[in-house]
Amino acid sequence: LNLIVARLKSGATALQIREVIFAKCREWDKNPEMMTFLRPKTLFKAINFEQYLGELNAMPEVPQRTG
């Protein structure tokens, strides 16, 4: 929890944190080697989080489905 609080204090939003979690789960969930990195220590370490956030910003937005 301390790492998440630190990211929030450094300016990340709850939505950004959520999106990083979802993005890395989608990216790593089918790879047994990478699944071991789905942990707070990896996701929320300052340098890693900034990189993952940058990756999100570089991705094209997927249009939301309606109805």
Side-chain angles (χ1 to χ4, degrees):
L1 205 51
N2 291 335
L3 291 169
I4 295 171
V5 171
R7 299 298 65 82
L8 290 167
K9 285 183 178 180
S10 70
T13 66
L15 179 60
Q16 288 172 321
I17 289 171
R18 179 180 175 267
E19 291 302 317
V20 165
I21 293 168
F22 287 147
K24 290 301 158 188
C25 284
R26 281 191 304 269
E27 183 178 346
W28 294 344
D29 74 340
K30 304 248 186 308
N31 183 334
E33 285 183 39
M34 295 307 291
M35 281 180 63
T36 63
F37 296 106
L38 286 175
R39 58 186 182 202
K41 180 179 175 181
T42 302
L43 295 176
F44 302 116
K45 182 177 177 182
I47 194 162
N48 293 353
F49 184 79
E50 291 302 320
Q51 177 184 339
Y52 303 151
L53 197 54
E55 292 171 3
L56 286 179
N57 293 334
M59 297 171 119
E61 286 193 36
V62 177
Q64 296 290 325
R65 291 181 6 184
T66 57

